[in-house]
Amino acid sequence: MKAVAINSKKKLRTHAETEMIASTTISGTGSGGAEVPKIVWNETQHRFETEDKKAYIEYVMRDNGKVMDIVHTFVPSSKRGLGLASHLCVAAFNHAKSHSLSVIPTCSYVSDTFLPKNPTWNSLLYSEDLKSNI
């Protein structure tokens, strides 16, 4: 597996490294902050996932590897409400940005929830605004 690191400095680890170290905290929750979950890039299965592999965001590469079509986000009910889906999206969008990829937000969570709350990522969206038929 290859990994991408997410932290407040947006430092990315090389593809040769196998784990991602998420070192930021999210503040504003009252007492300190919550630790950012460890997100791993599973290049073989075309997804970003939590270290325990229970929550993930899946993608399909299109247009000869120039476009990342995010097709599905899954967080088990036992882990919902912790912001994992958003962290998975950030990992995917950071990866797309660092690899000069465009993004198609086929997944309804990404298009209807994440992007409206995080419009700064709109600059990465595929210019023809197409969605896959998956």
Side-chain angles (χ1 to χ4, degrees), residues 120-132:
T120 57
W121 292 111
N122 288 340
S123 63
L124 292 181
L125 296 183
Y126 186 63
S127 62
E128 293 182 16
D129 194 33
L130 299 175
K131 290 195 176 189
S132 75

Side-chain angles (χ1 to χ4, degrees), residues 59-115:
Y59 63 90
V60 174
M61 295 306 297
R62 303 200 184 282
D63 194 18
N64 296 315
K66 297 176 187 170
V67 178
M68 175 188 281
D69 185 352
I70 301 175
V71 296
H72 183 62
T73 304
F74 176 76
V75 176
S77 57
S78 63
K79 294 184 176 248
R80 291 187 185 151
L82 303 174
L84 289 177
S86 180
H87 288 297
L88 291 163
C89 287
V90 169
F93 275 85
N94 273 330
H95 175 84
K97 183 177 181 179
S98 69
H99 289 84
S100 301
L101 303 173
S102 294
V103 175
I104 299 173
T106 298
C107 170
S108 61
Y109 171 79
V110 178
S111 63
D112 300 346
T113 302
F114 178 77
L115 287 172

Side-chain angles (χ1 to χ4, degrees), residues 25-37:
T25 59
I26 300 171
S27 58
T29 56
S31 58
E35 232 181 270
V36 174

Side-chain angles (χ1 to χ4, degrees), residues 21-72:
I21 301 169
S23 60
T24 59
T25 59
I26 300 171
S27 58
T29 56
S31 58
E35 232 181 270
V36 174
K38 189 172 188 177
I39 306 294
V40 178
W41 177 29
N42 185 334
E43 184 179 21
T44 307
Q45 292 188 9
H46 295 245
R47 66 191 212 172
F48 293 86
E49 56 195 24
T50 52
E51 191 174 27
D52 64 6
K53 302 178 190 276
K54 292 184 179 178
Y56 54 86
I57 190 165
E58 294 176 322
Y59 63 90
V60 174
M61 295 306 297
R62 303 200 184 282
D63 194 18
N64 296 315
K66 297 176 187 170
V67 178
M68 175 188 281
D69 185 352
I70 301 175
V71 296
H72 183 62

